[in-house]
Amino acid sequence: MGTDPYVWLDKSLAALHRAHRYRTVAAVYGMTGTVVQRQGQTLINFASNDYLGLASDPRLAEAAIAAIQTYGTGSTGSRLLSGHRELHGELEQALAALKGTEDAIVFSSGYLANMGAIAALVGSPDLILGDEYNHSSLKSGGKVSGANALDYRHGDVAHLEELLKLYRDRHRRCLITTDSVFSMDGDLCPLAAILDLAENYHAMVLVDEAHGTGVFGARGSGAVEHLGCTGRPLVTVGTLSKAVGSLGGYVAGSTVLIDFLRNRSPSWIYTTGLSPADTAAALAAVKIIQQETWRREMLWHQVNHLIQQIDQILTEPAVVPFGLRRLPSASPIICLEGASAEAILTASQHLQSAGLWVAAVRPPTVPTSRLRITVMATHKPHHLHQLVTGLQTLNQG
Ligand SMILES: *Cc1c(COP(=O)(O)O)cnc(C)c1O
């Protein structure tokens, strides 16, 4: 008795230190972009989700400033009360057009969009089958919903079918959830096969396009378009904070789905409407994504070039001390898995001293530690060249 009830916090933090899992934040100074100021250094940025370079585009800034001057900074209430502006409706229509769906609904973040959609669509009598590598927001949505949430092995359609055979009949509704582009691996889900199974087993499918939107598909619609699944019955979720360069999230789908979410999604109903500035910036970005196809073409050109160069390096024994291995990434997210959290941290620090910012992603975010390299459309050839040189000389750092 009489002991401090918070004393366990110190012990818990000490355990994180010992496991090399302790984290801190470091500020980026000034404008974001392909080159940033951080920890007193000028670094080439391979750690951003701003795939098209739109977060620093003056047209988004102008749209945001104009919206603040017109509407003010806050939207002052929830959408159903005082928080709805015409701008929200315009953005929702633009997103539906980009996605090729009947309608869309904008949330305050992608995290809240997943939580809100899942909790509205399923409850305790229902089943959720999710890819084991799904984003945290999909997993949280499953927990909040109260449904029986089970994981299938990453990308494994046969395992998904096994679980459907075993569990589908014992539940009322079934929702299959998956990232379209896996955020910490950079690979794609087998969406067409998942949709076929869903049809056979009378299941709904929710796909998270956080890293697909603006990046995949001829129209920039996302991985659903790229995988030939536009128009199939789907609940599509995404974020406005990655290639769209703003903040917020959305769900796109049928009129009846979106109408239902407006009435039943707690993380949309009980939160303040997206700010006018964020809404206007996102609206400007959605137009640019459709008009400036060169951004997507440039991005893919750089991704393919970099993957080729990295694969070349990884055949050279010089890099082997870090045990680096490229995961089967098929997107602007290129992941190099390493032997341990410590090795990956050291590799990331060596790259930083060479002026390169590459994120070290460690458990519990991912099962195995890795360097996560993200490519932007606006990287210059010499930025990529410097990264290749940095990787080549890793063990000399
Ligand atoms: C980033 C991300 C989210 C969350 O989006 P925010 O708008 O940042 O909250 C959801 N799902 C995936 C797969 C993500 O990578």
Side-chain angles (χ1 to χ4, degrees), residues 8-174:
W8 65 273
L9 289 169
D10 290 311
K11 289 182 188 156
S12 185
L13 281 172
L16 287 175
H17 274 291
R18 279 196 302 277
H20 299 280
R21 288 186 182 189
Y22 180 74
R23 297 139 183 253
T24 56
V25 294
V28 168
Y29 294 90
M31 186 60 77
T32 185
T34 53
V35 178
V36 294
Q37 302 296 322
R38 186 171 180 260
Q39 296 178 334
Q41 263 189 296
T42 301
L43 297 169
I44 304 173
N45 187 359
F46 290 102
S48 165
N49 296 318
D50 180 22
Y51 301 110
L52 301 176
L54 294 179
S56 56
D57 191 295
R59 292 167 291 179
L60 271 69
E62 276 161 28
I65 291 164
I68 289 173
Q69 285 165 345
T70 306
Y71 299 101
T73 47
S75 51
T76 76
S78 67
R79 290 279 299 280
L80 291 173
L81 293 173
S82 62
H84 181 66
R85 304 287 177 275
E86 268 185 312
L87 209 49
H88 293 120
E90 280 175 52
L91 175 58
E92 288 168 342
Q93 287 319 300
L95 286 166
L98 177 69
K99 292 288 169 183
T101 59
E102 289 173 352
D103 204 355
I105 177 173
V106 170
F107 286 73
S108 299
S109 77
Y111 206 105
L112 288 169
N114 272 329
M115 298 265 289
I118 295 170
L121 292 173
V122 287
S124 54
D126 303 321
L127 175 66
I128 297 174
L129 297 175
D131 189 290
E132 63 177 329
Y133 286 2
N134 272 351
H135 188 262
S136 158
S137 53
L138 291 166
K139 299 193 180 210
S140 295
K143 279 186 195 141
V144 166
S145 75
N148 183 18
L150 305 173
D151 282 354
Y152 59 89
R153 284 190 296 271
H154 178 52
D156 189 339
V157 183
H159 190 215
L160 172 59
E161 178 154 32
E162 227 172 90
L163 294 177
L164 281 164
K165 274 191 186 133
L166 276 171
Y167 296 101
R168 176 66 189 96
D169 284 350
R170 306 186 207 166
H171 297 84
R172 183 183 61 173
R173 298 178 201 134
C174 176

Side-chain angles (χ1 to χ4, degrees), residues 109-111 114 135 137 179 181 183 208 210-211 239-242 248:
S109 77
Y111 206 105
N114 272 329
H135 188 262
S137 53
D179 287 12
V181 182
S183 55
D208 182 344
H211 297 274
T239 177
L240 303 173
S241 68
K242 286 165 183 156

